[in-house]
PDB file of all heavy atoms in Angstrom:
ATOM      1  N   GLN A   4      -1.450 -32.189  14.810  1.00 88.00           N
ATOM      2  CA  GLN A   4      -2.083 -32.109  13.493  1.00 88.00           C
ATOM      3  C   GLN A   4      -3.423 -32.859  13.483  1.00 88.00           C
ATOM      4  O   GLN A   4      -4.408 -32.371  12.944  1.00 88.00           O
ATOM      5  CB  GLN A   4      -1.147 -32.677  12.418  1.00 88.00           C
ATOM      6  CG  GLN A   4      -1.669 -32.518  11.008  1.00 88.00           C
ATOM      7  CD  GLN A   4      -1.816 -31.064  10.597  1.00 88.00           C
ATOM      8  OE1 GLN A   4      -1.015 -30.217  10.956  1.00 88.00           O
ATOM      9  NE2 GLN A   4      -2.869 -30.764   9.863  1.00 88.00           N
ATOM     10  N   GLU A   8      -7.100 -31.385  12.694  1.00 92.00           N
ATOM     11  CA  GLU A   8      -7.944 -31.976  11.650  1.00 92.00           C
ATOM     12  C   GLU A   8      -9.323 -32.324  12.197  1.00 92.00           C
ATOM     13  O   GLU A   8     -10.347 -32.070  11.553  1.00 92.00           O
ATOM     14  CB  GLU A   8      -7.267 -33.211  11.066  1.00 92.00           C
ATOM     15  CG  GLU A   8      -6.043 -32.888  10.230  1.00 92.00           C
ATOM     16  CD  GLU A   8      -5.240 -34.102   9.813  1.00 92.00           C
ATOM     17  OE1 GLU A   8      -5.620 -35.251  10.166  1.00 92.00           O
ATOM     18  OE2 GLU A   8      -4.211 -33.914   9.134  1.00 92.00           O
ATOM     19  N   ALA A  11     -11.352 -29.203  12.585  1.00 91.00           N
ATOM     20  CA  ALA A  11     -11.787 -28.717  11.267  1.00 91.00           C
ATOM     21  C   ALA A  11     -12.951 -29.553  10.738  1.00 91.00           C
ATOM     22  O   ALA A  11     -13.926 -29.014  10.196  1.00 91.00           O
ATOM     23  CB  ALA A  11     -10.617 -28.738  10.293  1.00 91.00           C
ATOM     24  N   ILE A  12     -12.876 -30.865  10.909  1.00 94.00           N
ATOM     25  CA  ILE A  12     -13.959 -31.761  10.465  1.00 94.00           C
ATOM     26  C   ILE A  12     -15.250 -31.442  11.218  1.00 94.00           C
ATOM     27  O   ILE A  12     -16.318 -31.367  10.616  1.00 94.00           O
ATOM     28  CB  ILE A  12     -13.543 -33.237  10.652  1.00 94.00           C
ATOM     29  CG1 ILE A  12     -12.459 -33.610   9.648  1.00 94.00           C
ATOM     30  CG2 ILE A  12     -14.751 -34.171  10.520  1.00 94.00           C
ATOM     31  CD1 ILE A  12     -11.759 -34.929   9.937  1.00 94.00           C
ATOM     32  N   ASP A  15     -16.760 -28.347   9.897  1.00 93.00           N
ATOM     33  CA  ASP A  15     -17.390 -28.629   8.594  1.00 93.00           C
ATOM     34  C   ASP A  15     -18.759 -29.272   8.773  1.00 93.00           C
ATOM     35  O   ASP A  15     -19.722 -28.879   8.124  1.00 93.00           O
ATOM     36  CB  ASP A  15     -16.516 -29.562   7.760  1.00 93.00           C
ATOM     37  CG  ASP A  15     -15.394 -28.845   7.043  1.00 93.00           C
ATOM     38  OD1 ASP A  15     -15.233 -27.621   7.245  1.00 93.00           O
ATOM     39  OD2 ASP A  15     -14.679 -29.514   6.277  1.00 93.00           O
ATOM     40  N   GLN A  20     -20.539 -27.980   5.390  1.00 84.00           N
ATOM     41  CA  GLN A  20     -19.612 -27.749   4.295  1.00 84.00           C
ATOM     42  C   GLN A  20     -18.507 -28.787   4.370  1.00 84.00           C
ATOM     43  O   GLN A  20     -18.376 -29.468   5.375  1.00 84.00           O
ATOM     44  CB  GLN A  20     -19.033 -26.339   4.324  1.00 84.00           C
ATOM     45  CG  GLN A  20     -19.010 -25.693   5.651  1.00 84.00           C
ATOM     46  CD  GLN A  20     -18.477 -24.277   5.605  1.00 84.00           C
ATOM     47  OE1 GLN A  20     -17.862 -23.846   4.647  1.00 84.00           O
ATOM     48  NE2 GLN A  20     -18.692 -23.546   6.654  1.00 84.00           N
ATOM     49  N   ALA A  21     -17.737 -28.904   3.325  1.00 78.00           N
ATOM     50  CA  ALA A  21     -16.647 -29.880   3.303  1.00 78.00           C
ATOM     51  C   ALA A  21     -15.355 -29.195   2.898  1.00 78.00           C
ATOM     52  O   ALA A  21     -14.824 -29.440   1.827  1.00 78.00           O
ATOM     53  CB  ALA A  21     -16.983 -31.035   2.365  1.00 78.00           C
ATOM     54  N   LEU A  22     -14.852 -28.337   3.757  1.00 83.00           N
ATOM     55  CA  LEU A  22     -13.637 -27.590   3.459  1.00 83.00           C
ATOM     56  C   LEU A  22     -12.398 -28.185   4.118  1.00 83.00           C
ATOM     57  O   LEU A  22     -11.298 -28.003   3.633  1.00 83.00           O
ATOM     58  CB  LEU A  22     -13.789 -26.132   3.923  1.00 83.00           C
ATOM     59  CG  LEU A  22     -14.982 -25.367   3.356  1.00 83.00           C
ATOM     60  CD1 LEU A  22     -15.092 -24.004   4.022  1.00 83.00           C
ATOM     61  CD2 LEU A  22     -14.856 -25.235   1.853  1.00 83.00           C
ATOM     62  N   ALA A  23     -12.574 -28.885   5.230  1.00 77.00           N
ATOM     63  CA  ALA A  23     -11.434 -29.382   6.011  1.00 77.00           C
ATOM     64  C   ALA A  23     -10.567 -30.341   5.218  1.00 77.00           C
ATOM     65  O   ALA A  23      -9.350 -30.297   5.312  1.00 77.00           O
ATOM     66  CB  ALA A  23     -11.915 -30.057   7.285  1.00 77.00           C
ATOM     67  N   VAL A  24     -11.182 -31.204   4.457  1.00 77.00           N
ATOM     68  CA  VAL A  24     -10.423 -32.209   3.712  1.00 77.00           C
ATOM     69  C   VAL A  24      -9.415 -31.529   2.796  1.00 77.00           C
ATOM     70  O   VAL A  24      -8.249 -31.909   2.749  1.00 77.00           O
ATOM     71  CB  VAL A  24     -11.365 -33.142   2.913  1.00 77.00           C
ATOM     72  CG1 VAL A  24     -10.582 -34.063   2.014  1.00 77.00           C
ATOM     73  CG2 VAL A  24     -12.229 -33.951   3.872  1.00 77.00           C
ATOM     74  N   GLU A  25      -9.846 -30.496   2.093  1.00 77.00           N
ATOM     75  CA  GLU A  25      -8.939 -29.785   1.198  1.00 77.00           C
ATOM     76  C   GLU A  25      -7.972 -28.890   1.968  1.00 77.00           C
ATOM     77  O   GLU A  25      -6.771 -28.912   1.714  1.00 77.00           O
ATOM     78  CB  GLU A  25      -9.739 -28.940   0.206  1.00 77.00           C
ATOM     79  CG  GLU A  25     -10.526 -29.770  -0.781  1.00 77.00           C
ATOM     80  CD  GLU A  25     -11.358 -28.917  -1.715  1.00 77.00           C
ATOM     81  OE1 GLU A  25     -10.960 -27.762  -1.981  1.00 77.00           O
ATOM     82  OE2 GLU A  25     -12.393 -29.406  -2.171  1.00 77.00           O
ATOM     83  N   LYS A  26      -8.493 -28.116   2.909  1.00 80.00           N
ATOM     84  CA  LYS A  26      -7.671 -27.153   3.646  1.00 80.00           C
ATOM     85  C   LYS A  26      -6.601 -27.845   4.476  1.00 80.00           C
ATOM     86  O   LYS A  26      -5.461 -27.407   4.525  1.00 80.00           O
ATOM     87  CB  LYS A  26      -8.560 -26.301   4.543  1.00 80.00           C
ATOM     88  CG  LYS A  26      -7.827 -25.223   5.286  1.00 80.00           C
ATOM     89  CD  LYS A  26      -8.783 -24.404   6.126  1.00 80.00           C
ATOM     90  CE  LYS A  26      -8.022 -23.383   6.943  1.00 80.00           C
ATOM     91  NZ  LYS A  26      -8.855 -22.713   7.915  1.00 80.00           N
ATOM     92  N   GLU A  27      -6.956 -28.914   5.144  1.00 80.00           N
ATOM     93  CA  GLU A  27      -6.025 -29.622   6.028  1.00 80.00           C
ATOM     94  C   GLU A  27      -5.306 -30.781   5.314  1.00 80.00           C
ATOM     95  O   GLU A  27      -4.510 -31.477   5.930  1.00 80.00           O
ATOM     96  CB  GLU A  27      -6.768 -30.164   7.254  1.00 80.00           C
ATOM     97  CG  GLU A  27      -7.423 -29.096   8.115  1.00 80.00           C
ATOM     98  CD  GLU A  27      -6.435 -28.209   8.841  1.00 80.00           C
ATOM     99  OE1 GLU A  27      -5.311 -28.652   9.139  1.00 80.00           O
ATOM    100  OE2 GLU A  27      -6.793 -27.047   9.104  1.00 80.00           O
ATOM    101  N   HIS A  28      -5.618 -30.984   4.040  1.00 85.00           N
ATOM    102  CA  HIS A  28      -5.015 -32.068   3.241  1.00 85.00           C
ATOM    103  C   HIS A  28      -5.224 -33.439   3.887  1.00 85.00           C
ATOM    104  O   HIS A  28      -4.300 -34.222   4.055  1.00 85.00           O
ATOM    105  CB  HIS A  28      -3.525 -31.811   3.011  1.00 85.00           C
ATOM    106  CG  HIS A  28      -3.238 -30.467   2.424  1.00 85.00           C
ATOM    107  ND1 HIS A  28      -3.577 -30.131   1.137  1.00 85.00           N
ATOM    108  CD2 HIS A  28      -2.679 -29.356   2.959  1.00 85.00           C
ATOM    109  CE1 HIS A  28      -3.227 -28.883   0.893  1.00 85.00           C
ATOM    110  NE2 HIS A  28      -2.688 -28.378   1.994  1.00 85.00           N
ATOM    111  N   ILE A  29      -6.463 -33.697   4.266  1.00 89.00           N
ATOM    112  CA  ILE A  29      -6.820 -34.961   4.914  1.00 89.00           C
ATOM    113  C   ILE A  29      -7.107 -35.988   3.826  1.00 89.00           C
ATOM    114  O   ILE A  29      -7.939 -35.759   2.953  1.00 89.00           O
ATOM    115  CB  ILE A  29      -8.055 -34.771   5.824  1.00 89.00           C
ATOM    116  CG1 ILE A  29      -7.779 -33.689   6.891  1.00 89.00           C
ATOM    117  CG2 ILE A  29      -8.456 -36.090   6.468  1.00 89.00           C
ATOM    118  CD1 ILE A  29      -9.006 -33.273   7.670  1.00 89.00           C
ATOM    119  N   THR A  30      -6.441 -37.125   3.910  1.00 89.00           N
ATOM    120  CA  THR A  30      -6.669 -38.183   2.929  1.00 89.00           C
ATOM    121  C   THR A  30      -7.996 -38.876   3.237  1.00 89.00           C
ATOM    122  O   THR A  30      -8.483 -38.815   4.378  1.00 89.00           O
ATOM    123  CB  THR A  30      -5.538 -39.229   2.961  1.00 89.00           C
ATOM    124  OG1 THR A  30      -5.596 -39.925   4.208  1.00 89.00           O
ATOM    125  CG2 THR A  30      -4.166 -38.584   2.771  1.00 89.00           C
ATOM    126  N   PRO A  31      -8.575 -39.558   2.252  1.00 89.00           N
ATOM    127  CA  PRO A  31      -9.820 -40.295   2.504  1.00 89.00           C
ATOM    128  C   PRO A  31      -9.680 -41.314   3.636  1.00 89.00           C
ATOM    129  O   PRO A  31     -10.604 -41.474   4.437  1.00 89.00           O
ATOM    130  CB  PRO A  31     -10.107 -40.977   1.164  1.00 89.00           C
ATOM    131  CG  PRO A  31      -9.456 -40.090   0.152  1.00 89.00           C
ATOM    132  CD  PRO A  31      -8.209 -39.573   0.833  1.00 89.00           C
ATOM    133  N   GLU A  33      -7.578 -41.127   6.244  1.00 92.00           N
ATOM    134  CA  GLU A  33      -7.506 -40.381   7.501  1.00 92.00           C
ATOM    135  C   GLU A  33      -8.885 -39.879   7.909  1.00 92.00           C
ATOM    136  O   GLU A  33      -9.237 -39.924   9.089  1.00 92.00           O
ATOM    137  CB  GLU A  33      -6.550 -39.186   7.363  1.00 92.00           C
ATOM    138  CG  GLU A  33      -5.098 -39.567   7.228  1.00 92.00           C
ATOM    139  CD  GLU A  33      -4.210 -38.388   6.868  1.00 92.00           C
ATOM    140  OE1 GLU A  33      -4.676 -37.441   6.196  1.00 92.00           O
ATOM    141  OE2 GLU A  33      -3.030 -38.423   7.263  1.00 92.00           O
ATOM    142  N   LEU A  34      -9.662 -39.420   6.936  1.00 93.00           N
ATOM    143  CA  LEU A  34     -11.015 -38.941   7.215  1.00 93.00           C
ATOM    144  C   LEU A  34     -11.876 -40.065   7.777  1.00 93.00           C
ATOM    145  O   LEU A  34     -12.574 -39.890   8.772  1.00 93.00           O
ATOM    146  CB  LEU A  34     -11.651 -38.359   5.955  1.00 93.00           C
ATOM    147  CG  LEU A  34     -13.083 -37.852   6.106  1.00 93.00           C
ATOM    148  CD1 LEU A  34     -13.151 -36.711   7.113  1.00 93.00           C
ATOM    149  CD2 LEU A  34     -13.632 -37.426   4.756  1.00 93.00           C
ATOM    150  N   GLU A  58     -17.863 -36.513   5.087  1.00 90.00           N
ATOM    151  CA  GLU A  58     -18.264 -35.590   6.156  1.00 90.00           C
ATOM    152  C   GLU A  58     -19.763 -35.311   6.120  1.00 90.00           C
ATOM    153  O   GLU A  58     -20.405 -35.220   7.161  1.00 90.00           O
ATOM    154  CB  GLU A  58     -17.533 -34.252   6.007  1.00 90.00           C
ATOM    155  CG  GLU A  58     -16.098 -34.279   6.432  1.00 90.00           C
ATOM    156  CD  GLU A  58     -15.444 -32.927   6.201  1.00 90.00           C
ATOM    157  OE1 GLU A  58     -15.570 -32.374   5.101  1.00 90.00           O
ATOM    158  OE2 GLU A  58     -14.823 -32.437   7.146  1.00 90.00           O
ATOM    159  N   ARG A  96      -4.044 -18.151  14.334  1.00 81.00           N
ATOM    160  CA  ARG A  96      -4.965 -19.161  13.804  1.00 81.00           C
ATOM    161  C   ARG A  96      -6.167 -19.393  14.719  1.00 81.00           C
ATOM    162  O   ARG A  96      -7.281 -19.596  14.264  1.00 81.00           O
ATOM    163  CB  ARG A  96      -4.233 -20.475  13.575  1.00 81.00           C
ATOM    164  CG  ARG A  96      -5.121 -21.533  12.990  1.00 81.00           C
ATOM    165  CD  ARG A  96      -4.375 -22.735  12.549  1.00 81.00           C
ATOM    166  NE  ARG A  96      -5.285 -23.657  11.880  1.00 81.00           N
ATOM    167  CZ  ARG A  96      -4.927 -24.789  11.372  1.00 81.00           C
ATOM    168  NH1 ARG A  96      -3.677 -25.158  11.409  1.00 81.00           N
ATOM    169  NH2 ARG A  96      -5.805 -25.581  10.813  1.00 81.00           N
TER     170      ARG A  96
END
Side-chain angles (χ1 to χ4, degrees):
Q4 185 63 37
E8 290 171 0
I12 290 167
D15 279 4
Q20 25 182 344
L22 304 174
V24 173
E25 292 178 28
K26 183 179 176 189
E27 299 292 332
H28 307 291
I29 302 170
T30 67
E33 291 171 330
L34 179 62
E58 284 178 311
R96 182 170 185 179

